[in-house]
Amino acid sequence: MSLERTEYYKGDLLSVRYVACRSAEKGTSDVETSDADTLVLPLRGAFIEHFSHGTQVLAEPNVALIFPAGRSCRVSHPISAEDDCLVVEFSVSCFQEVLEGVLHSSGVTSVGTHSLLSPSAMAVRNLIWRRLKQKMASPLEVEETGVALLSHALLGSRENRMPQRCNSLSRQVETAKVILLLHPEKNWSLHSLALALQCSPFHLTRMFREKVGVPLHRYLLHTRLARAVDLLLDTDKDLTTISLDLGFSSHSHFTASFRQLVGFAPSQLREIASTRIVEETRKILIAPLSKLN
C-alpha cells in the first residue's frame, strides 16, 4: 500500500496531516498501531478498519474514526484502492481533557471506535481542510476546529459489536452502505435496496438503524450532502447541476436540505472557504458543532 503524507499544521495541542492511500493491494494490510491519540476523518473513498478485538468499521466520509494511542488495526479496501483522509493527532493532555469533558457531560463511562458525523461536522471538516490547503487558517481556527470535531466524534461514538447470530445481517448492512456510497443519486426504495442485497426489507431497515444509528434514508441524505460538500468546494458546478447529479428533486430541495442539516446555505459554504475574515469564519465553523449533541 502506497501512502502519501503531507503535514499542514503542527502545534502544541494537535497536528493535522493529509494522507492519501494509492495502489492498495487486495486483502488486509499489515497491523498498524497508532502512536498518538488520533482522529481520522475520511474525505473520499472507503476502507475497512479491522480492529484487534474482532470488530470492523467501514470508514467513509460519513464517519470519524477514533484511535487512542496504542490501538492496533488492519486495513482493507472494499471498493477501490484509493482513499483520502484528514488525520488529526492530539497531545496526551488535550485528548484526555476532551475525553473527560465528554464523559462528564454525557454521563457514559466509555467511548467507541467510530462516530457517524453530522452534515454540519462534514462541512466543518472539509472547510478546515480547504483553508489549510490555501494557507488561510489561523492556529486558533485549526486548533479550535480540531478540538470541536474530536468532541463531536467522541459524543457520537459507538462500538461495532453485533451478536454472532447477526453476522450475515451485519455484512448486509455494510454492503448496503457501500451501495449507497457508490450510487447516492439513485431514488432508492427499501424494496429495491433489499432486492439488491437479497435480504428481507424488514430485517435490513431494523438492523441498519441498530448498527449505524440512523435509518437508511437519513444515511443516504448524509451521503449525498457529504458529496455535495466536496463538489461545492472542489468544482465550479452550479447548484442546480449539483442538486440533480446527487438525486435531489430540485435546486430548492437541495438548498433547503443543506441549510437545515448543515446550518447555512450551499452558497455560503463557498464564501466561507475563501474569506480571510478569521473571526467570522471561526464563528460559522464552530457554531453548528455546538448544537449537534
Side-chain angles (χ1 to χ4, degrees):
M1 176 163 39
S2 172
L3 294 177
E4 302 170 9
R5 299 180 176 89
T6 307
E7 188 170 79
Y8 279 88
Y9 179 80
K10 187 172 181 63
D12 293 331
L13 294 182
L14 58 85
S15 63
V16 182
R17 69 177 185 272
Y18 169 77
V19 179
C21 174
R22 301 291 181 264
S23 304
E25 298 177 357
K26 292 183 178 180
T28 56
S29 69
D30 294 333
V31 174
E32 302 174 1
T33 303
S34 175
D35 295 327
D37 298 314
T38 305
L39 181 67
V40 177
L41 302 164
L43 295 165
R44 298 183 184 90
F47 56 95
I48 297 175
E49 292 282 1
H50 304 264
F51 294 104
S52 57
H53 52 271
T55 64
Q56 63 184 45
V57 175
L58 178 67
E60 38 84 12
N62 278 314
V63 170
L65 301 171
I66 302 161
F67 288 89
R71 175 169 286 172
S72 299
C73 68
R74 296 175 183 267
V75 176
S76 64
H77 287 76
I79 301 176
S80 70
E82 297 187 355
D83 60 77
D84 304 281
C85 296
L86 206 58
V87 177
V88 187
E89 291 188 347
F90 297 86
S91 68
V92 174
S93 60
C94 180
F95 186 88
Q96 285 302 315
E97 187 173 354
V98 176
L99 176 60
E100 289 170 7
V102 166
L103 294 177
H104 176 74
S105 65
S106 63
V108 300
T109 58
S110 63
V111 296
T113 57
H114 64 291
S115 174
L116 186 68
L117 293 176
S118 70
S120 292
M122 290 187 286
V124 167
R125 173 200 63 200
N126 283 50
L127 273 169
I128 198 64
W129 162 227
R130 173 69 172 261
R131 290 172 62 77
L132 280 167
K133 284 194 296 183
Q134 295 176 332
K135 299 182 179 179
M136 294 173 62
S138 70
L140 179 60
E141 183 182 333
V142 176
E143 293 182 355
E144 191 170 19
T145 303
V147 168
L149 285 168
L150 175 61
S151 178
H152 173 66
L154 289 170
L155 277 167
S157 67
R158 50 196 291 123
E159 293 290 352
N160 188 21
R161 292 197 174 100
M162 298 291 290
Q164 189 68 26
R165 61 184 174 82
C166 292
N167 276 353
S168 61
L169 283 173
S170 180
R171 287 193 293 271
Q172 287 170 336
V173 167
E174 295 303 299
T175 303
K177 290 166 70 176
V178 170
I179 290 174
L180 296 178
L181 285 167
L182 289 173
H183 303 288
E185 77 289 347
K186 290 190 65 174
N187 186 25
W188 291 100
S189 66
L190 179 58
H191 173 74
S192 62
L193 188 57
L195 195 62
L197 293 166
Q198 298 183 321
C199 68
S200 157
F202 168 73
H203 288 298
L204 174 61
T205 186
R206 181 174 65 85
M207 292 305 299
F208 193 95
R209 183 160 195 157
E210 180 180 330
K211 186 171 188 292
V212 182
V214 295
L216 280 157
H217 73 272
R218 190 77 168 186
Y219 180 85
L220 176 58
L221 179 56
H222 282 211
T223 300
R224 287 175 172 175
L225 292 178
R227 181 61 182 142
V229 168
D230 254 351
L231 294 173
L232 286 165
L233 294 178
D234 294 337
T235 75
D236 294 324
K237 288 186 176 182
D238 61 78
L239 297 186
T240 298
T241 300
I242 291 175
S243 62
L244 297 179
D245 284 351
L246 291 177
F248 292 96
S249 59
S250 64
H251 174 295
S252 59
H253 178 209
F254 167 55
T255 298
S257 298
F258 195 97
R259 186 189 294 275
Q260 179 184 11
L261 292 174
V262 177
F264 43 85
S267 57
Q268 284 182 277
L269 186 70
R270 284 175 165 163
E271 294 172 7
I272 297 166
S274 58
T275 184
R276 292 186 178 275
I277 306 174
V278 175
E279 184 61 26
E280 290 304 309
T281 302
R282 273 184 57 249
K283 289 178 182 178
I284 298 173
L285 280 170
I286 301 301
L289 289 178
S290 67
K291 301 183 292 184
L292 296 180
N293 296 287

